[in-house]
Structure formats: C-alpha cells, structure tokens
Amino acid sequence: MGILYGMVARGTVILAEYTAASTNAGTIARQILDKTPGNNDTHVSYSQDRYIFHLKRTDGLSVLCMADDSLGRRIPFAFLEDIHQRFVKTYGRAVLTAQAYAMSDEFSRVLNQQMDYYSSDPNADRINRLRGEMDQVRNVMVENIDKVLDRGDRLELLVDKTANLQGNTFRFRKQARRFRSNVWWKNVKLIVVLVFILLIIIYAVLVFICHGLALPSCLK
C-alpha cells in the first residue's frame, strides 16, 4: 500500500496535505502535531494498527506521513526529507508567514507524485541507500501512538481498503505498462538486427551472383 497520507505544517498550521485513500489520517495527524509542540528538530514514528505515522521536524517545519508498516522506516523518512527540501526550495521564506492551506492546491500535486514514487519505485530506496543519507533513521524507535495521544482522545484509524486496492491496481497497471514498453523496445531492437543481417545476406548473394556473371566474360 505504501504511503497513504502526506502533510506539511508550520507548528500546528497545516500548509499543504494530500491523501491517497479515504481515511481519517489527517485528523489523527493534527492530534499528533498538537501533542508534539516546539520547534526542536526531531524524527519520530508512532504506530497504530498496521500503519505508522512518521514525523520529521526541521527548523520549525514539520513534514508528516502515514504509511503501511511493511514499508519500514527508511523509505518514509526519505520521502519526508525529499518533501521538506522541495517545499522550502519552492516557497522559501513565505513558509514563515503563510496562512493555513495556502500552498495545498499547488503542492498537493507534488505530494501525490512523490508518494506514488516512494511507494512503488524500487529506485527510491536504492538511491537513498547509495547516498547513505538516512543513517539517522536507524535510531528512530517506532512507538505506539498511545504514547503521544491519550487513549480517550485517540481516534480509531479508518482506511478505505477499496481505495487502497484501487491505488494498488493503478501501480500494477503502471508497472505493467512499463514492462510492455520494455518488451516492445526489445522486440524493435531484435527486428532491426534481423533486418540488418538479412540485408547483409542479400548483399552477399548479389555480389556472388554478379561475380559469377562477370567471370565468363573475363575467361573470353
């Protein structure tokens, strides 16, 4: 299922968010922001059922996502780091004074695109392993969400499995199209090689025939 929800916030002011499934993850994410005040840089993860909320705060800007626990920690935090860099690069100092959801219409498309990339493209993890940029994630302990939210305040996480299935189907179709494209190019290359070999054979035959026809005149 991968990453199902992403959000960027300044303190408790949400500047942009996107969800890839019908879920109340946004409500729970707001609760997590309320319960983790301050501007200190931090990396934390909270589990609820089989989903994990990952939070990265840098220079007062918080980036949070909810992912399936099967995705581990390295990929979600690589996603958060990527989103943080893109957001700061795009909006600069406007981040410090922007109103709630001021960037959501525009930046939700970036969240959508990068969520899909980090959820389905194997290169996402491979690149970060080669860079060695996510070593600090190894020290991030995944704690139960009850540690930050009181049991009485905690909402039950609801995720529409149908929406998840649709997301998986979309990724499967995307991978299938990529596979068909690769096969098509291999077939084209094979045909080009075969045509080239055939042309060489035809040329050799014509040379042989012409040489054979010219030989009797030479004997006269």
Side-chain angles (χ1 to χ4, degrees):
M1 295 182 184
I3 301 173
L4 303 178
Y5 172 81
M7 170 239 279
V8 183
R10 184 191 68 246
T12 58
V13 179
I14 298 173
L15 302 176
E17 71 176 339
Y18 178 80
T19 179
S22 297
T23 173
N24 62 340
T27 302
I28 297 176
R30 291 173 183 79
Q31 288 184 316
I32 292 175
L33 289 180
D34 289 337
K35 296 295 184 177
T36 53
N39 293 319
N40 294 333
D41 293 358
T42 185
H43 295 73
V44 293
S45 297
Y46 299 106
S47 65
Q48 183 171 1
D49 301 326
R50 59 191 183 86
Y51 300 97
I52 302 179
F53 289 85
H54 303 278
L55 171 64
K56 170 184 168 60
R57 179 182 291 145
T58 306
D59 298 329
L61 188 67
S62 298
V63 187
L64 183 149
C65 71
M66 185 191 78
D68 189 273
D69 59 3
S70 64
L71 203 59
R73 291 174 295 173
R74 184 170 53 239
I75 292 179
F77 274 103
F79 164 77
L80 295 179
E81 176 66 24
D82 183 14
I83 291 300
H84 179 273
Q85 292 181 3
R86 289 172 182 269
F87 197 81
V88 172
K89 183 177 180 180
T90 302
Y91 300 108
R93 296 187 63 82
V95 171
L96 302 176
T97 56
Q99 299 296 314
Y101 296 98
M103 293 87 170
S104 197
D105 285 346
E106 180 181 24
F107 200 74
S108 61
R109 292 191 289 270
V110 178
L111 287 169
N112 179 18
Q113 177 182 336
Q114 296 309 107
M115 285 165 62
D116 182 62
Y117 170 68
Y118 281 91
S119 297
S120 60
D121 196 322
N123 288 323
D125 191 31
R126 189 178 303 127
I127 290 172
N128 282 285
R129 271 194 270 182
L130 290 173
R131 289 177 177 173
E133 292 181 349
M134 303 307 295
D135 290 340
Q136 74 273 19
V137 174
R138 298 174 185 170
N139 299 322
V140 178
M141 299 297 294
V142 179
E143 299 175 319
N144 192 282
I145 201 168
D146 290 333
K147 185 157 184 175
V148 66
L149 300 182
D150 296 332
R151 287 183 179 272
D153 296 334
R154 181 168 66 84
L155 298 176
E156 180 183 358
L157 178 62
L158 304 175
V159 179
D160 187 344
K161 295 181 179 179
T162 303
N164 291 337
L165 181 60
Q166 291 174 347
N168 290 338
T169 302
F170 171 76
R171 282 188 285 273
F172 174 78
R173 288 176 179 173
K174 185 176 179 180
Q175 292 171 351
R177 286 196 300 268
R178 188 181 304 163
F179 174 77
R180 288 196 297 268
S181 178
N182 291 337
V183 172
W184 185 82
W185 276 113
K186 288 180 180 178
N187 289 338
V188 169
K189 292 176 182 177
L190 179 60
I191 292 172
V192 170
V193 171
L194 291 176
V195 169
F196 181 72
I197 293 174
L198 181 61
L199 290 175
I200 292 177
I201 293 173
I202 293 174
Y203 176 78
V205 170
L206 290 176
V207 169
F208 178 78
I209 293 174
C210 292
H211 181 74
L213 291 175
L215 186 61
S217 61
C218 293
L219 294 176
K220 293 179 181 178

